[in-house]
Amino acid sequence: MRNQGTALSKRLPALLGLVGVGCLLIAGGLYLVTAEFDRKIWSLLIVGLGLLAISGLESWEAILKAGRGRTARYGSNTVVMSIAFVGILALLNILAAKHVWNLDLTANKQYTLSPQTIQILKRIKEPLQVTAFYSQQQSDRQAMQDLLKEYQAHSDKIQVRFVDPDRQPTLARQYQIASYGTTVFEYNGRKQKVMGSDEQDVTSAILRVISNESKKVYFLTGHGEMSIDSSDRRGGSAARRALEADNYQVSSLALATSGKVPDDTSVLIIAAPQKPFLEQEKSALKDYLKRGGRSLILNEPGTVPDAAQLLQDWGVDIGTGLVVDEGSPLLNDVLTPLITHYRWSEITKDLPMTIFPTVTSVTPRKELPKGVTVSTIAETTDKSWLEKDTKVAHYDEGIDTKGPISIAVTVETEKQAGGTTGNEKAATEKTANHPQTRMVVVGDVDFATNAFLDSVGNRDFFLNSVDWLAQSEDLIGIRAKPPQDRRLFLTGTEMNLIFYSSVIFLPLAVLLAGGAVWWTRR
């Protein structure tokens, strides 16, 4: 019994040391799983370090003796090299944390901020406080953290904090938070809330909170135009939401009742009227454009000629046929040109390809009114033509118009140069104070409907046109694409192949290779 007690007392320090190491390993494992230091982890750390200290005190003579031995001297070199290796890894980790570098390999650059978002972030001049109310267990919390880190990487004015509404209910009530996943943006005393972790929503919230004003866009109504309240395929509800996301106020305008275009109009959109204008409406539109109005005019083949007659005064001709493009059709549909190259303009700068189903021509006239510039910004290929007979898609020499066909133009009045006489200077000063008229005219309305707005670059073309007209050129850019659901569907055979090859075949191959090496060297 005495010998057993002596042996146990000799092994006790080693056992305490092992238990202490076990406590530290468990604490480290819990931290890796929960990503936070709670009371349980702190208790395990204290117990583990305490047991290691007791073990060391009980065995200090053995430790000193072992330290003076030959094995310890040789082992010290290994320890020094290990410490140096760990130190290098720690230094690299610190440098990597301070200088973040990402490589986005997704097909649609899902984890890269869009050029428009980066442009908007450059406009932030004061601190922008972002408070995200997410619970610890919320599945999309990590996605929001990653997204906001990308925003912070492009602007040092953004400060982010995450708040768990369950742990800080007072702060959640203070911000009037009703749902998990709400993010609040605060800028110069103004607040904006947004739900979810989508880049489009976050950028729109930042744009609204940093902007002092919201420009107004009117859609002309009363003549069968594209309706911004309609959610069917030919409706414009998607266009309305896209404009509102860019901080525009969107409303309908019935000229027959108002009698004039409101003075607060930033852009008037005339989206393919199907019925003639009243004479009073024509006068109101002409007066608005002469006063320096801004208008996006969308046409459709076969509609009433009122818009075409209005545009003739500004040096623009609207075609009466359909554009047929055999050089760049969408999915072999020659009546849907796919535009991949543009004339340079602020609207089409860096613009991806766009599609215009059943489009007609929009061309500058040879003789333009004085002081008016008309520029083509989009045209079809040289293998296209303007088909006058809409029942047959066949080019007839001398009847049809050979391509390239202009399908979208900008119209802009020029600023007057300074005069030399007193009267000329007075006239120039008067003209300088007069706003410039701007128009974008497109031979198609379908590209802006719910059915096609989100196709390729149509949304960017539509919004860039409105931004240019409203003189919000700093918003022109390529916008964030909505996240795509890119699931991988496997058949039963494919699933079995992946499972057996990774779980059985690959490990078995490694085992057989090891066995072969052993058999060769035995």
Side-chain angles (χ1 to χ4, degrees):
M1 290 293 291
R2 187 174 181 180
N3 292 337
Q4 290 179 351
T6 303
L8 180 62
S9 62
K10 288 182 179 178
R11 291 198 297 267
L12 185 59
L15 291 174
L16 292 176
L18 288 175
V19 174
V21 171
C23 290
L24 294 179
L25 290 176
I26 293 172
L30 288 175
Y31 174 73
L32 291 176
V33 173
T34 61
E36 62 177 5
F37 277 108
D38 57 9
R39 185 178 300 175
K40 190 184 302 179
I41 293 177
W42 279 114
S43 301
L44 287 169
L45 286 174
I46 293 172
V47 171
L49 292 174
L51 291 175
L52 284 176
I54 294 172
S55 176
L57 290 174
E58 292 293 329
S59 309
W60 68 275
E61 290 183 352
I63 293 173
L64 288 177
K65 184 178 179 181
R68 298 191 188 100
R70 180 184 299 176
T71 304
R73 288 198 299 273
Y74 290 137
S76 62
N77 292 332
T78 305
V79 171
V80 171
M81 293 178 64
S82 300
I83 292 174
F85 179 71
V86 172
I88 291 172
L89 289 181
L91 181 61
L92 291 175
N93 192 35
I94 293 172
L95 292 175
K98 290 187 175 181
H99 304 280
V100 178
W101 184 77
N102 296 326
L103 180 61
D104 189 354
L105 299 177
T106 56
N108 60 347
K109 299 300 177 185
Q110 183 177 347
Y111 301 105
T112 302
L113 295 184
S114 67
Q116 191 206 37
T117 297
I118 296 173
Q119 281 182 240
I120 291 172
L121 293 179
K122 292 177 181 176
R123 297 171 57 180
I124 301 175
K125 305 301 180 187
E126 304 293 333
L128 172 66
Q129 177 65 51
V130 182
T131 307
F133 290 88
Y134 282 74
S135 68
Q136 294 290 340
Q137 296 77 25
Q138 206 162 333
S139 59
D140 54 349
R141 177 188 174 105
Q142 186 61 49
M144 191 61 174
Q145 285 180 328
D146 295 339
L147 180 63
L148 291 177
K149 283 180 181 176
E150 289 295 321
Y151 280 76
Q152 287 183 294
H154 289 87
S155 174
D156 58 358
K157 302 294 184 183
I158 299 178
Q159 301 164 2
V160 177
R161 62 173 172 172
F162 274 77
V163 175
D164 188 339
D166 296 329
R167 298 187 177 187
Q168 296 178 266
T170 304
L171 189 60
R173 281 196 298 272
Q174 179 184 337
Y175 280 88
Q176 299 179 342
I177 302 301
S179 305
Y180 295 107
T182 303
T183 304
V184 182
F185 298 84
E186 299 175 81
Y187 187 82
N188 282 343
R190 299 188 292 272
K191 290 183 181 178
Q192 277 289 330
K193 293 180 182 177
V194 68
M195 293 287 297
S197 55
D198 182 71
E199 182 190 344
Q200 283 185 333
D201 295 333
V202 172
T203 300
S204 297
I206 292 176
L207 178 60
R208 285 194 290 269
V209 79
I210 67 174
S211 299
N212 291 322
E213 61 174 351
S214 179
K215 296 184 178 179
K216 203 138 189 177
V217 175
Y218 285 99
F219 278 77
L220 190 65
T221 186
H223 315 88
E225 295 91 344
M226 179 182 73
S227 172
I228 56 174
D229 298 319
S230 173
S231 57
D232 62 22
R233 287 177 56 82
R234 298 195 60 79
S237 59
R240 175 180 190 156
R241 288 194 300 273
L243 288 170
E244 289 174 342
D246 275 6
N247 201 30
Y248 288 104
Q249 294 183 49
V250 183
S251 302
S252 298
L253 172 64
L255 267 182
T257 56
S258 66
K260 61 174 289 189
V261 179
D263 294 334
D264 63 350
T265 304
S266 294
V267 178
L268 173 65
I269 298 180
I270 304 174
Q274 306 295 314
K275 297 178 181 177
F277 296 140
L278 299 175
E279 289 301 322
Q280 296 87 336
E281 293 175 315
K282 291 180 183 178
S283 300
L285 290 173
K286 289 180 179 178
D287 178 63
Y288 169 69
L289 293 175
K290 285 183 179 177
R291 288 189 288 114
R294 316 295 170 87
S295 186
L296 173 60
I297 302 177
L298 310 179
N299 299 274
E300 191 68 6
T303 55
V304 293
D306 288 30
Q309 294 171 359
L310 180 72
L311 289 167
Q312 285 178 355
D313 295 338
W314 294 92
V316 178
D317 279 334
I318 304 296
T320 56
L322 275 173
V323 173
V324 179
D325 192 350
E326 293 182 339
S328 182
L330 175 69
L331 302 175
N332 294 323
D333 181 4
V334 294
L335 297 182
T336 304
L338 183 67
I339 308 300
T340 57
H341 296 89
Y342 307 89
R343 301 274 186 92
W344 191 94
S345 72
E346 291 186 74
I347 296 173
T348 56
K349 182 177 59 177
D350 300 327
L351 188 70
M353 58 186 178
T354 48
I355 57 173
F356 298 90
T358 60
V359 61
T360 189
S361 63
V362 179
T363 52
R365 305 192 82 174
K366 292 182 178 178
E367 295 185 3
L368 298 176
K370 185 179 180 182
V372 176
T373 302
V374 181
S375 305
T376 294
I377 58 174
E379 61 186 5
T380 55
T381 67
D382 55 3
K383 294 183 179 179
S384 63
W385 68 90
L386 182 64
E387 179 62 64
K388 300 293 179 59
D389 184 359
T390 57
K391 297 179 181 178
V392 181
H394 179 270
Y395 176 68
D396 295 312
E397 186 77 32
I399 299 177
D400 299 327
T401 305
K402 182 69 177 170
I405 303 295
S406 170
I407 60 172
V409 301
T410 58
V411 181
E412 192 173 13
T413 55
E414 298 173 353
K415 291 182 179 179
Q416 300 293 320
T420 55
T421 66
N423 291 335
E424 288 175 345
K425 288 181 179 178
T428 302
E429 184 177 352
K430 184 178 179 180
T431 305
N433 293 328
H434 194 276
Q436 284 182 280
T437 299
R438 281 187 174 184
M439 285 184 278
V440 176
V441 187
V442 186
D444 179 49
V445 70
D446 297 317
F447 84 96
T449 60
N450 296 333
F452 296 101
L453 185 68
D454 285 327
S455 300
V456 285
N458 286 11
R459 174 187 289 263
D460 291 317
F461 179 76
F462 174 75
L463 294 176
N464 287 356
S465 299
V466 175
D467 291 338
W468 181 77
L469 291 167
Q471 290 188 302
S472 300
E473 283 89 349
D474 54 342
L475 290 181
I476 293 177
I478 309 305
R479 290 157 177 81
K481 298 290 184 295
Q484 299 178 355
D485 187 2
R486 301 174 65 86
R487 300 184 187 181
L488 177 63
F489 296 96
L490 300 176
T491 64
T493 304
E494 291 169 338
M495 292 178 65
N496 288 336
L497 176 63
I498 293 175
F499 174 77
Y500 288 117
S501 60
S502 59
V503 176
I504 296 180
F505 298 150
L506 186 60
L508 184 62
V510 173
L511 187 62
L512 291 175
V517 172
W518 172 79
W519 181 263
T520 306
R521 295 182 176 179
R522 69 186 172 85

